[in-house]
Amino acid sequence: GQSLEQPSEVTAVEGAIVQINCTYQTSGFYGLSWYQQHDGGAPTFLSYNALDGLEETGRFSSFLSRSDSYGYLLLQELQMKDSASYFCAVTPAGRRALTFGSGTRLQVQP
Amino acid sequence: DAMVIQNPRYQVTQFGKPVTLSCSQTLNHNVMYWYQQKSSQAPKLLFHYYDKDFNNEADTPDNFQSRRPNTSFCFLDIRSPGLGDAAMYLCATSSGTGNSPLHFGNGTRLTVT
């Protein structure tokens, strides 16, 4: 089976940097994805790590270490609009559907 | 713009009264998914279609059914809604390759009275 664990809540201030961790137990997967979801909205794709290492997309970066069963999403220069829930997700090997982590609610304060 | 559209945005049904939620896409994606999301929880996969091939999750209740009459449309039928089925239902699509992202609709929030 698959299990992805995230902190339930993180609070940070505008302009700061925050890291949201994702630890997983899964027998095999294609890559680690991150999705953002604002209250009442749909999840939207942020980033994908197929290989170990860092992927950077603007203010957001994502990291994967398969040997450590660990990944994280790094958000820089936080803005109020970044307040949302963030989900890590994997597509288990042999499947086409994403399994989502428990989600982290990020609150950005002035 | 290519997109995933869900109707209605809000749906109220009575306990035990069948309800159908709809989803359409203009992305021409092979795969369409239905996820259930309850408050402060992660989206939970109910089932998905790869083209016409239906894939049910082992823990999806029999109360939930789906139809995909063509590439563009997919329906979620809840045969006898219970109070525990109140949730946001999210439709998503993808091209079906291993790293292709999911494109979600805005969801239908179902209330059961």
Side-chain angles (χ1 to χ4, degrees):
Chain A
Q2 300 84 37
S3 170
L4 299 99
E5 297 297 324
Q6 304 177 232
S8 58
E9 289 188 15
V10 173
T11 302
V13 297
E14 264 188 305
I17 299 172
V18 71
Q19 179 173 312
I20 298 174
N21 297 324
C22 174
T23 57
Y24 58 85
Q25 294 179 5
T26 181
S27 54
F29 61 97
Y30 294 114
L32 185 71
S33 301
W34 287 91
Y35 284 76
Q36 178 192 61
Q37 185 178 29
H38 287 98
D39 285 347
T44 56
F45 173 75
L46 288 178
S47 69
Y48 176 77
N49 291 74
L51 304 174
D52 283 8
L54 192 69
E55 293 285 340
E56 297 181 75
T57 309
R59 293 188 297 116
F60 295 177
S61 303
S62 57
F63 174 83
L64 173 63
S65 170
R66 289 179 186 263
S67 59
D68 295 324
S69 298
Y70 165 73
Y72 65 74
L73 180 69
L74 190 73
L75 297 87
Q76 303 182 71
E77 302 173 17
L78 279 175
Q79 302 175 9
M80 297 296 291
K81 68 178 181 180
D82 297 330
S83 294
S85 292
Y86 292 84
F87 294 92
C88 60
V90 297
T91 301
R95 289 173 54 85
R96 299 185 201 99
L98 279 177
T99 297
F100 284 87
S102 50
T104 299
R105 187 172 183 85
L106 171 64
Q107 186 158 3
V108 180
Q109 296 179 337
Chain B
D1 286 343
M3 53 184 14
V4 181
I5 301 168
Q6 291 188 244
N7 285 304
R9 187 78 172 91
Y10 300 93
Q11 176 73 58
V12 180
T13 190
Q14 294 177 336
F15 182 95
K17 184 175 181 180
V19 66
T20 294
L21 310 182
S22 71
C23 177
S24 64
Q25 56 135 340
T26 60
L27 296 160
N28 203 33
H29 280 166
N30 293 325
V31 194
M32 295 188 77
Y33 308 84
W34 281 104
Y35 283 85
Q36 179 194 62
Q37 187 176 28
K38 297 188 176 181
S39 182
S40 301
Q41 295 184 20
K44 179 181 179 300
L45 181 67
L46 295 174
F47 26 58
H48 74 277
Y49 275 94
Y50 189 98
D51 291 330
K52 295 184 178 181
D53 181 27
F54 178 70
N55 298 267
N56 197 29
E57 293 300 294
D59 59 353
T60 297
D62 292 340
N63 196 26
F64 292 86
Q65 306 283 320
S66 186
R67 296 170 284 135
R68 188 179 186 186
N70 53 53
T71 300
S72 301
F73 286 87
C74 195
F75 300 97
L76 170 61
D77 301 308
I78 309 177
R79 294 192 296 186
S80 182
L83 298 179
D85 296 328
M88 175 74 84
Y89 289 88
L90 294 162
C91 173
T93 72
S94 81
S95 62
T97 59
N99 63 348
S100 57
L102 265 61
H103 298 260
F104 283 86
N106 285 327
T108 294
R109 181 165 296 283
L110 179 68
T111 301
V112 181
T113 61

